[in-house]
Amino acid sequence: AQSVTQLGSHVSVSEGALVLLRCNYSSSVPPYLFWYVQYPNQGLQLLLKYTTGATLVKGINGFEAEFKKSETSFHLTKPSAHMSDAAEYFCAVSHYGGSQGNLIFGKGTKLSVKP
Amino acid sequence: EPEVTQTPSHQVTQMGQEVILRCVPISNHLYFYWYRQILGQKVEFLVSFYNNEISEKSEIFDDQFSVERPDGSNFTLKIRSTKLEDSAMYFCASRAGLSNQPQHFGDGTRLSIL
């Protein structure tokens, strides 16, 4: 069975500081990995995805994530936080074999950005 | 950019009543999904739909739930007899046919059961 663990339900950084949101996954097949962001009262917006190929993937709003198979991790980073980055971030795993690609989400990490 | 639209944004229903949540997926997408998010909890998969039939469903998706694609554009989730614990945000998502394409989510319907 697949699962996703996000360490830290709440992360607080200062504006301009590095953002690091952690995600570890468990999957018996090569995973497809995603980060979604949820602003208050809105749906889930895709930040970035890893399917195959380059393990460092770049997404929108300056975010990037690196797939590390040996560590079963897919941590999300941004060099310099902006106030507008305050939101909840969800890591998700999927495989497109027999399951038609349903996503398994982590519990989410709420990011706060202090001025 | 095309998007998934969901209506209504907020639905208030008495316990025991039927409710239908509506979604219009992105027009050329082939896979459709419903997820729910109970307040303060993680997003949970309910059901996936492809080629006019359910392809996978979770344990949450019991006999009280059903999905339908009544025409070429809408995708609906019906809860036959709502319970208090059905109160949640319900998200619809759709995905194009290629396996490496991501799911695109709507803004959700907040369902409140009284």
Side-chain angles (χ1 to χ4, degrees):
Chain A
Q2 293 160 303
S3 65
V4 174
T5 302
Q6 291 184 241
L7 287 177
S9 58
H10 194 179
V11 170
S12 182
V13 300
S14 297
E15 192 173 19
L18 171 73
V19 175
L20 170 61
L21 305 182
R22 298 178 186 273
C23 173
N24 288 88
Y25 70 91
S26 168
S27 178
S28 57
V29 296
Y32 288 1
L33 295 158
F34 306 84
W35 275 99
Y36 284 86
V37 60
Q38 184 181 31
Y39 297 100
N41 300 314
Q42 292 187 27
L44 297 163
Q45 181 183 5
L46 180 70
L47 272 180
L48 48 79
K49 65 180 171 82
Y50 168 79
T51 54
T52 57
T55 56
L56 180 64
V57 292
K58 295 185 185 299
I60 61 172
N61 302 338
F63 284 93
E64 61 182 38
E66 187 171 9
F67 169 59
K68 291 187 176 180
K69 184 178 178 181
S70 61
E71 299 177 9
T72 60
S73 69
F74 191 57
H75 302 329
L76 181 71
T77 60
K78 182 174 179 178
S80 176
H82 192 271
M83 298 296 292
S84 60
D85 295 326
E88 189 149 22
Y89 292 80
F90 292 92
C91 181
V93 64
S94 167
H95 78 90
Y96 289 91
S99 69
Q100 301 294 346
N102 58 288
L103 295 173
I104 308 298
F105 285 88
K107 291 185 176 181
T109 298
K110 187 166 289 187
L111 176 67
S112 301
V113 182
K114 299 174 291 189
Chain B
E1 185 177 327
E3 57 183 30
V4 176
T5 57
Q6 290 185 243
T7 54
S9 57
H10 192 183
Q11 174 79 46
V12 182
T13 301
Q14 292 286 332
M15 187 172 60
Q17 295 296 305
E18 174 183 286
V19 66
I20 298 176
L21 309 182
R22 303 182 190 281
C23 170
V24 179
I26 294 173
S27 63
N28 61 346
H29 284 190
L30 301 178
Y31 296 88
F32 312 109
Y33 308 83
W34 282 102
Y35 294 81
R36 80 170 185 192
Q37 184 182 29
I38 295 172
L39 188 63
Q41 299 186 25
K42 66 179 179 179
V43 178
E44 302 172 289
F45 166 74
L46 291 177
V47 65
S48 59
F49 192 87
Y50 170 71
N51 200 26
N52 285 319
E53 60 183 22
I54 291 174
S55 46
E56 189 169 7
K57 58 185 180 180
S58 72
E59 293 175 353
I60 303 166
F61 194 88
D62 62 22
D63 291 345
Q64 293 299 310
F65 291 88
S66 62
V67 289
E68 196 177 34
R69 188 156 162 80
D71 51 42
S73 60
N74 291 283
F75 179 51
T76 61
L77 174 69
K78 182 194 289 186
I79 309 175
R80 259 179 276 281
S81 178
T82 50
K83 304 186 285 285
L84 292 176
E85 53 264 39
D86 294 326
S87 295
M89 184 75 105
Y90 288 80
F91 292 107
C92 174
S94 68
R95 179 169 72 85
L98 295 175
S99 63
N100 64 352
Q101 294 300 305
Q103 294 177 30
H104 295 260
F105 284 78
D107 282 345
T109 294
R110 180 166 298 285
L111 177 63
S112 300
I113 307 300
L114 304 178

